[in-house]
Amino acid sequence: MIDVLLGVAVMGTVGVLIGILLGDSFLYFAAGLGVMLGIGIGLIGGRRFFFGIFVGTVLGGLLAWGVSGPENITVGAGSGAAMGGFLGIWVSMLIDVFWRKQVEASSDHEG
């Protein structure tokens, strides 16, 4: 349940930011799509993915604010969220491979 709520919060926020960037007519569509994607990813357990998106959103927004001013925060946050999601999936896959190798190595020593 926590993953679903986290997904709704993170992906809904990303959807709102994208909707603001695209214009008011896209706001409800983008936010709704973000919430639906958040529910779906939350149901399959994407906590690391959501954390990557969250960190990317915050860092991207802060970087855009520092480099080009407050009028570009939404662009930076949206771009940062995309990169954060990519890096979150990448790190998640590396962690899974690492743990799989650890389990295989420990089972080889036992048998």
Side-chain angles (χ1 to χ4, degrees):
M1 185 67 181
I2 292 175
D3 285 344
V4 173
L5 294 175
L6 185 62
V8 167
V10 170
M11 296 299 284
T13 302
V14 171
V16 167
L17 291 172
I18 292 170
I20 290 171
L21 179 66
L22 294 175
D24 290 337
S25 60
F26 289 101
L27 179 62
Y28 297 111
F29 174 74
L33 185 60
V35 167
M36 289 189 304
L37 287 172
I39 290 171
I41 295 170
L43 288 174
I44 61 172
R47 191 173 297 186
R48 283 183 241 161
F49 176 71
F50 292 136
F51 183 71
I53 290 175
F54 174 73
V55 170
T57 301
V58 172
L59 292 178
L62 289 174
L63 181 63
W65 185 18
V67 169
S68 62
E71 62 275 359
N72 290 319
I73 291 174
T74 55
V75 175
S79 300
M83 286 304 298
F86 170 75
L87 292 174
I89 291 171
W90 183 68
V91 168
S92 178
M93 289 182 347
L94 289 176
I95 289 171
D96 291 343
V97 167
F98 173 76
W99 284 113
R100 192 175 317 124
K101 286 186 178 190
Q102 291 294 325
V103 169
E104 289 174 3
S106 66
S107 65
D108 288 342
H109 293 303
E110 293 175 3

